[in-house]
């Protein structure tokens, strides 16, 4: 087969159909990584046949968090004026085609202000200072899931961490990588590496599975990039998912209780890309009153893959449906998952089925347990 | 190379829908190979959903003289589903429904494209059991298993795929649908056409539905691992176990190179450096009997020179052992770009002699050959590792293959225990079966497929005019 395939538009499209759930990567005993090849092909395709809308989108929006924040403004106004809720209540959204409705359902309640501008650059530890850690605030976390990352920083502080969260942080690079814009991801990587080099931190922590998986791969991304190769490797070895970091330190047991039944969904970018699956479960089991229920096929993809609900709606929804069957039978009040993409997708699933279930980041439940103990 | 007329493509699209006829080069590539190193592009891939659609496809192919090469998940090891003839690669994977599990009659009916492991899971959920277990079980389809009469480790006790096939629905070369067999266990009304299709490798008709016999699920299973410093000891243990009246459900053997290869990639803690391993397994209704059998086998193994015997004490320990055994094929693929996996069968007592001679062949032709297989029934898998791009090496591989088959026949065995003939074993077929058998089989082929459109050139080399 070598040398026989030609990069046709059909082939490129097949590569975009890949959800990059990495299941093929981990199962192949021969060591072929089809998901990596799919991303590689997207990159090659972009070199040969660049798509017109990508440059303005990625180069215009992603390098500068301020521009992304500006882009979110219309949505925030809708929210502020109560129009989103009104539209849902009056039933206007029902007039939308299913796909648009699903896209609307994806978006959580948008925070008043992006966390990036609210979060102090240095959060002191509560009690004795044990670690100085950097916090990598992802775009989706800042713009859409501000409460979660605020909780992450609180939990870190409570566990003896001084948390440094530089405001100049840029996108981790995954969205451009996913769309074949590798050069741009390289630029972002260099920026972030330089930024955190100056901070002198013990670890670089993120609460976004996707950011984590990308940051940990900076070493590979810049492997042939002269001096940067070593700097990237040094950066990457410091990166920890929040649950991973907490599992490595003697974590403070919360005194408060959270009375709820909780199930956990493994994000592809955490379980397969980073090999992290036990740690978030252990965190949940730390909480008194919490009943943890394991769902079937917890590590199966939810169908989010970032933007597949938009680009490949039908496939995305069928994957989601399978996932929701497994979620629903647990009878859980919370489904926890440390990935903004998964959370948005699972929210669509919950809303489609009209379930009384909340989608949360595991760290929020831990944070809640600490806070309940304070009262 | 056959070209398919645009009008035929159009007609095919009308039958199965536009989305289910693929002609883009990159799509054709995906259907150009199986689990061997052989490859050839089809002219079109057609993916029917029903028996009726298959019948319509064959009517079109028959009319236009287009070759049709049926395929499931392409896990075959004899290149039987590689479309050397061009034409249509007929993929049956969309026909993946389990149609019925009949608990009263203990049968299951499934469409050809059902993954065999899925069928097993479904019947086991009802306390029933479908025993044949080729290593490809999580990938291969029941239709493909029947078409190649697949075996597997458990066949020592339970028999092979063909032993479980009670009936078939097949589409003939001209598009007629033939139903054979049925749920009645005894059936001597006419020739046994069902079994004629078993192992026919898609050359007589397209199997679209399979009716299989089930047995009740054994409730208990235990597995042991025996380590040997001498291959002869392993072989003697096998004979001693079977002569002691124990029928284990599996008796798998791996040689030193196989152990090394698996361990290198799986890190399961296998004893690297040992000459051979046996995996011994017993299953049954009754826990005590199963325990007793495993203990007895372990004792026999020790008496016959096993340096270490470990009995898996948990389900996960057992899974580990099997994960190793099932990963042999893929692990080998890490060692060399290509592998040629044979599946000769010899009388059980000849196993040590066969392995010794195969190793000599490896030395003579300077090729790494690993040997593993189903020691209980004498079905061995010598795998030659090589790089197809090296012509000189490929010639040595061909010579080595010939020599291995020679060994099989000399020791009173046969070329293929469970993979089939495809194209890889064709050159040696006449030597193994004799001219009369070949001639009669060719006549069967001519009767069922006079225009030779069904998987042409497979099993028997094409004759002049075809």
């Amino acid at each position: 087969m070598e040398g026989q395939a030609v990069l046709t538009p059909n082939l490129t499209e097949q590569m975009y159909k890949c959800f990059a759930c990495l299941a093929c990567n981990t199962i192949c005993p021969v060591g072929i990584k089809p998901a990596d090849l799919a991303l590689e092909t997207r990159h090659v395709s972009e070199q040969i046949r660049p798509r017109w809308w990508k440059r303005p989108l990625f180069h215009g929006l992603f390098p500068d968090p301020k521009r992304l924040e500006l882009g979110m403004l219309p949505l925030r106004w809708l929210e502020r004026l109560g129009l989103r809720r009104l539209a849902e209540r009056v039933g206007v959204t029902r007039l939308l085609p299913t796909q648009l409705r699903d896209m609307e359902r994806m978006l959580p309640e948008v925070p008043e202000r992006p966390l990036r501008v609210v979060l102090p650059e240095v959060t002191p530890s509560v009690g004795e200072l044990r670690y100085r850690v950097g916090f990598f605030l992802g775009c989706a976390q800042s713009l859409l899931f501000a409460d979660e990352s605020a909780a992450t920083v609180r939990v870190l502080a409570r566990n003896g961490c001084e948390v440094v969260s530089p405001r100049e942080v840029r996108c981790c690079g995954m969205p451009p990588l996913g769309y074949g814009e590798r050069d741009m991801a390289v630029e972002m990587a260099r920026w972030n590496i330089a930024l955190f080099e100056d901070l002198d931190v013990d670890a670089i922590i993120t609460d976004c599975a996707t950011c984590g998986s990308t940051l940990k791969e900076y070493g590979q991304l810049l492997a042939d990039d002269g001096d940067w190769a070593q700097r990237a490797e040094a950066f990457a070895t410091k990166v920890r998912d929040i649950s991973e970091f907490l599992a490595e330190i003697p974590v403070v047991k919360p005194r408060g209780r959270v009375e709820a039944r909780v199930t956990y969904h493994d994000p592809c970018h955490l379980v397969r890309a980073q090999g992290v699956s036990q740690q978030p479960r252990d965190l949940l089991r730390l909480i008194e009153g919490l009943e943890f229920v394991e769902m079937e096929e917890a590590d199966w993809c939810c169908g989010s893959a970032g933007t597949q609900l938009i680009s490949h709606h039908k496939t995305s929804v069928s994957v989601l449906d399978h996932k929701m069957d497994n979620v629903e039978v647990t009878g859980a009040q919370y489904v926890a998952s440390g990935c903004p993409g998964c959370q948005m997708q699972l929210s669509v699933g919950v809303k489609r089925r009209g379930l009384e279930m909340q989608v949360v980041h595991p760290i929020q439940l831990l944070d809640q347990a600490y806070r309940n103990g304070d009262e | 190379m056959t070209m398919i007329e645009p009008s035929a493509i159009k007609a095919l699209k009308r039958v199965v829908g536009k989305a289910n006829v693929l002609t883009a080069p990159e799509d054709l590539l995906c259907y150009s190979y199986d689990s061997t190193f052989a490859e050839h592009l089809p002219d079109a891939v057609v993916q029917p959903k029903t028996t009726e659609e298959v019948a319509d496809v064959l009517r079109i192919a028959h009319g236009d003289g287009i070759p049709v090469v049926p395929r499931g998940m392409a896990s075959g090891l004899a290149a039987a589903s590689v479309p050397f003839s061009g034409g249509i690669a007929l993929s049956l994977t969309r026909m993946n429904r389990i149609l019925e599990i009949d608990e009263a009659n203990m049968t299951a009916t499934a469409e050809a494209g059902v993954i065999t492991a899925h069928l097993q899971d479904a019947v086991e959920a009802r306390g029933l059991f479908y025993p044949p277990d080729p290593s490809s079980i999580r990938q291969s389809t029941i239709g493909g298993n029947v078409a190649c009469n697949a075996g597997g480790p458990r066949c020592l006790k339970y028999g092979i795929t063909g032993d479980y096939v009670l009936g078939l629905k097949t589409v003939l070369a001209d598009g007629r649908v033939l139903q054979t067999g049925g749920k009645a266990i005894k059936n001597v009304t006419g020739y046994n056409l069902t079994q004629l299709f078993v192992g026919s490798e898609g050359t007589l008709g397209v199997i679209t539905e399979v009716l299989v016999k089930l047995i009740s699920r054994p409730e208990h299973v235990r597995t042991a691992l025996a380590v040997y410093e001498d291959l002869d000891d392993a072989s003697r243990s096998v004979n001693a176990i079977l002569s002691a009246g124990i029928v284990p459900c599996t008796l798998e053997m791996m040689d030193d190179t196989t152990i090394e290869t698996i361990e290198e990639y799986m890190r399961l803690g296998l004893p690297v450096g040992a000459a051979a391993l046996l995996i011994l397994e017993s299953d049954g209704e009754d826990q005590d009997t199963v325990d007793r059998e495993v203990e007895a086998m372990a004792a026999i193994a020790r008496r016959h020179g096993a340096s270490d015997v470990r009995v898996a004490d948990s389900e996960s320990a057992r899974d580990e052992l099997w994960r190793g055994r099932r990963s042999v094929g893929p692990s080998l693929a890490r060692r060399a770009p290509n592998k040629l996996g044979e599946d000769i069968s010899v009388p059980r007592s000849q196993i040590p002699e066969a392995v010794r001679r195969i190793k000599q062949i490896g030395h003579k032709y300077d090729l790494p050959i690993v040997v593993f297989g189903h020691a209980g029934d004498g079905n061995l898998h010598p795998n030659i590792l090589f790089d197809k791009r090296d012509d000189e090496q490929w010639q040595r591989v061909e010579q080595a293959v010939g020599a291995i088959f020679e060994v099989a026949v000399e020791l009173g065995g046969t070329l293929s225990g469970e993979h089939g003939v495809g194209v890889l074993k064709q050159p040696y077929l006449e030597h193994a079966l004799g001219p009369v058998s070949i001639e009669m089989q060719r006549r069967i082929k001519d009767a069922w497929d006079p225009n030779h459109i069904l998987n042409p050139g497979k099993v028997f080399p094409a004759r002049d005019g075809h």
Side-chain angles (χ1 to χ4, degrees):
Chain A
M1 275 200 322
E2 272 172 36
Q4 283 188 51
V6 178
L7 193 64
T8 59
N10 177 40
L11 180 58
T12 305
E13 167 54 19
Q14 298 300 329
M15 296 301 120
Y16 275 98
K17 277 186 178 158
C18 168
F19 280 53
C21 72
L22 311 175
C24 53
N25 278 14
T26 38
I27 207 163
C28 179
V30 185
I32 295 169
K33 295 185 171 168
D36 295 19
L37 292 176
L39 288 186
E40 181 69 28
T41 314
R42 292 180 192 180
H43 169 66
V44 172
S45 164
E46 208 50 43
Q47 305 303 302
I48 299 170
R49 258 189 303 271
R51 299 209 204 172
W52 64 270
W53 53 269
K54 283 191 184 168
R55 266 201 93 73
L57 178 68
F58 289 108
H59 292 253
L61 222 48
F62 276 87
D64 187 347
K66 283 197 206 98
R67 280 186 231 161
L68 266 180
E69 285 159 12
L70 218 58
M72 288 298 292
L73 271 181
L75 191 65
R76 202 167 313 133
W77 286 331
L78 273 180
E79 196 92 58
R80 183 93 45 95
L81 295 169
L83 287 181
R84 253 186 101 188
R85 206 163 298 171
L86 186 70
E88 186 62 44
R89 200 168 302 159
V90 179
V92 180
T93 51
R94 249 177 292 157
L95 300 176
L96 295 172
T98 328
Q99 179 167 5
L100 279 179
R101 249 188 115 183
D102 284 343
M103 283 163 64
E104 201 275 337
R105 283 165 169 158
M106 255 172 93
L107 292 166
E109 265 185 51
V110 184
E112 289 269 313
R113 298 175 71 197
L115 188 63
R116 193 182 68 87
V117 298
V118 183
L119 189 67
E121 288 208 282
V122 179
T123 306
S125 70
V126 177
E128 186 200 348
L129 173 68
R130 292 193 288 163
Y131 316 94
R132 180 177 152 87
V133 299
F135 180 60
F136 184 94
L137 178 61
C139 310
Q141 293 301 98
S142 169
L143 294 168
L144 299 170
F145 296 100
D147 290 349
E148 297 180 2
S149 287
T152 301
V153 173
R154 276 196 299 273
V155 168
L156 281 170
R158 197 178 280 265
N159 281 283
C161 297
E162 178 182 54
V163 188
V164 190
S165 185
R167 215 157 266 177
E168 299 80 17
V169 69
R170 288 190 180 170
C171 165
C172 65
M174 178 50 104
L177 263 184
Y179 279 92
E181 297 275 334
R182 193 198 297 167
D183 301 348
M184 220 187 126
V186 167
E187 263 174 57
M188 291 163 167
R190 286 184 184 159
W191 175 275
N192 288 325
I193 291 165
L195 183 64
F196 278 88
E197 269 172 353
D198 294 338
L199 299 182
D200 182 34
V201 288
D202 302 324
I204 299 165
I205 291 163
T206 170
D207 56 1
C208 166
T210 300
C211 292
S213 70
T214 313
L215 300 177
K216 284 182 179 176
E217 278 168 13
Y218 274 4
Q220 282 140 273
L221 189 65
L222 301 181
D224 304 319
D225 203 347
D227 296 347
W228 282 103
Q230 216 177 357
R231 294 169 68 183
E233 203 49 59
F235 175 95
T237 51
K238 280 190 182 177
V239 176
R240 296 284 184 281
D241 181 72
I242 177 66
S243 64
E244 201 180 6
F245 177 75
L246 292 175
E248 286 170 9
I249 63 167
V251 65
V252 178
K253 178 148 174 80
R255 276 182 298 151
R257 297 170 67 85
V258 174
E259 305 284 350
R261 177 185 274 224
V262 179
T263 189
Y264 176 77
H265 159 73
D266 286 292
C268 299
H269 283 152
L270 205 51
V271 60
R272 279 177 291 275
Q274 302 184 53
V276 174
S277 62
Q278 197 51 47
Q279 298 92 323
R281 289 174 169 82
D282 289 346
L283 282 186
L284 292 172
R285 289 205 173 98
L286 207 61
I287 302 170
E288 294 288 340
L290 187 148
E291 183 197 355
F292 181 75
V293 210
E294 192 72 64
M295 73 169 91
E296 286 288 309
E297 300 164 344
D299 63 346
W300 285 34
C301 177
C302 65
S304 159
T307 51
Q308 292 285 25
L309 195 73
I310 302 166
S311 57
H312 297 92
H313 184 253
K314 209 173 136 194
T315 322
S316 176
V317 166
S318 76
V319 176
L320 173 62
D321 262 340
H322 187 92
K323 170 58 66 179
M324 289 311 296
D325 287 344
N326 287 326
V327 171
E328 197 173 344
V329 295
T330 62
Q333 288 134 290
Y334 293 99
V335 49
S337 191
C339 168
C342 296
Q343 287 185 40
M344 285 194 264
Q345 182 84 351
L346 292 169
S347 300
V348 174
V350 167
K351 289 177 196 162
R352 280 172 76 98
R353 296 189 176 207
L355 302 179
E356 294 288 321
M357 188 182 277
Q358 266 180 285
V359 183
V360 294
H361 194 296
I363 206 73
Q364 287 177 291
L365 295 169
L366 186 62
D367 179 56
Q368 192 59 51
Y370 282 131
R371 295 210 281 177
N372 289 348
D374 292 341
E375 281 159 14
Chain B
M1 160 80 72
T2 325
M3 289 297 289
I4 306 180
E5 297 291 332
S7 61
I9 293 284
K10 235 187 232 164
L12 290 168
K13 284 182 176 168
R14 268 198 302 276
V15 172
V16 297
K18 219 172 145 186
N20 298 310
V21 177
L22 312 176
T23 52
E26 54 276 5
D27 289 329
L28 298 181
L29 263 183
C30 298
Y31 293 82
S32 67
Y33 59 91
D34 66 353
S35 294
T36 64
F37 50 85
E39 39 184 272
H40 195 285
L41 286 177
D43 294 302
V45 178
V46 179
Q47 304 166 304
K49 181 76 185 151
T50 62
T51 299
E52 292 68 39
E53 288 184 6
V54 173
D56 286 340
V57 168
L58 278 165
R59 269 189 278 274
I60 293 165
H62 195 249
D64 281 25
I66 304 165
V68 175
V69 182
R71 57 186 279 135
M73 291 292 277
S75 56
L77 290 165
S81 67
V82 177
F84 295 104
S85 51
I88 295 169
L90 188 70
S91 170
L92 294 151
T93 51
R94 286 180 68 229
M95 297 187 65
N96 59 357
R97 289 176 308 156
I98 296 172
L99 301 173
E100 186 197 43
I101 297 172
D102 180 343
E103 293 180 46
N105 288 307
M106 295 172 81
T107 64
T109 311
E111 290 184 326
V114 170
I115 306 275
T116 305
H118 295 174
L119 178 65
Q120 282 190 339
D121 292 346
V123 301
E124 280 174 39
R126 310 243 194 130
L128 296 166
F129 194 48
Y130 174 73
D133 59 342
S135 287
S136 60
I137 194 156
R138 303 236 142 247
Q139 182 197 358
S140 60
T141 62
I142 187 72
N145 286 177
V146 173
C148 296
N149 201 359
R154 279 204 297 243
C155 296
L156 170 62
K157 176 173 179 179
Y158 291 106
I160 56 180
T161 301
D163 295 333
Y164 289 84
V165 181
L166 287 179
L168 294 172
K169 192 183 265 187
T170 45
V171 179
L172 304 186
D174 57 8
R176 281 180 296 169
V177 177
L178 173 69
Q179 182 99 46
T180 63
K183 289 183 185 175
I185 297 291
K186 293 182 169 177
N187 185 345
V188 291
T189 322
Y191 290 158
N192 191 343
L193 295 182
T194 304
Q195 292 299 324
L196 178 61
F197 278 96
V198 173
S200 65
E201 301 183 13
T203 59
L204 301 179
V206 179
I207 298 167
T208 59
E209 272 178 38
V210 178
L211 171 70
V212 292
K213 176 172 81 174
L214 305 172
I215 59 177
S216 65
R217 187 184 64 196
E219 292 302 315
H220 303 284
V221 56
R222 276 190 90 185
T223 310
L225 181 78
V227 184
Y228 294 89
E229 306 310 323
D230 184 340
L231 187 71
D232 284 348
D233 289 341
S235 194
R236 272 201 297 275
S237 302
V238 170
N239 287 327
I241 287 167
L242 294 166
S243 330
I246 301 171
V247 187
C249 70
T250 64
L251 259 181
E252 292 290 292
M253 193 206 75
M254 299 177 196
D255 76 349
D256 46 1
T257 329
T258 311
I259 300 166
E260 224 170 81
T261 306
I262 300 175
E263 191 51 27
E264 195 172 328
Y265 298 108
M266 306 282 296
R267 307 265 168 231
L268 296 174
L270 297 179
V272 174
L277 281 186
L278 286 181
I279 301 180
L280 314 157
E281 190 165 280
S282 165
D283 69 356
E285 287 303 310
D286 171 50
Q287 177 80 63
D288 291 343
T289 315
V290 170
D291 286 345
R292 219 169 28 241
E293 276 189 1
V294 168
E295 294 306 332
M297 287 195 288
I300 292 173
R302 280 192 203 98
R303 262 205 312 280
H304 288 82
S307 57
D308 186 18
V309 181
R310 308 173 202 165
V311 179
D313 42 15
S314 66
E315 189 62 19
S316 65
R318 181 175 171 263
D319 283 349
E320 285 273 276
L321 278 179
W322 281 107
R323 211 153 58 86
R325 171 60 185 87
R326 289 196 201 288
S327 305
V328 174
S331 300
L332 291 178
R334 291 209 186 205
R335 286 188 80 134
N338 302 103
K339 70 176 167 75
L340 186 68
E342 293 302 349
D343 64 320
I344 56 166
S345 265
V346 296
R348 236 169 20 225
S349 60
Q350 298 285 14
I351 289 176
E353 185 56 24
V355 175
R356 237 188 322 272
R357 291 205 204 171
I358 290 165
K359 298 259 171 193
Q360 279 165 8
I361 292 168
H363 288 306
K364 180 173 173 194
Y365 295 101
D366 192 22
L367 291 164
I369 302 183
V370 304
V371 187
F372 56 94
H374 318 301
D377 49 29
N379 187 194
L380 295 176
H381 294 303
N383 272 247
I384 307 174
L385 307 179
F386 66 103
D387 186 343
K388 200 175 72 170
R389 293 165 294 192
D390 182 342
D391 284 336
E392 186 273 326
Q393 202 182 37
W394 173 237
Q395 277 172 14
R396 277 187 282 133
V397 171
E398 284 189 307
Q399 287 168 330
V401 169
I404 290 173
F405 288 150
E406 199 64 50
V407 168
V409 175
E410 268 174 30
L411 296 177
T414 180
L415 302 186
S416 178
E418 54 184 8
H419 295 169
V421 176
V423 294
L424 296 187
K425 297 190 187 80
Q426 271 178 8
Y428 317 97
L429 201 62
E430 185 150 343
H431 179 54
L433 299 180
V436 179
S437 175
I438 299 284
E439 174 55 24
M440 295 315 289
Q441 294 195 46
R442 277 190 190 277
R443 284 204 214 168
I444 293 173
K445 166 73 176 172
D446 290 343
W448 287 88
D449 180 21
N451 297 346
H452 284 217
I453 62 163
L454 284 171
N455 210 0
K458 300 292 166 55
V459 187
F460 314 104
R463 265 196 298 208
D464 291 347
H466 284 302

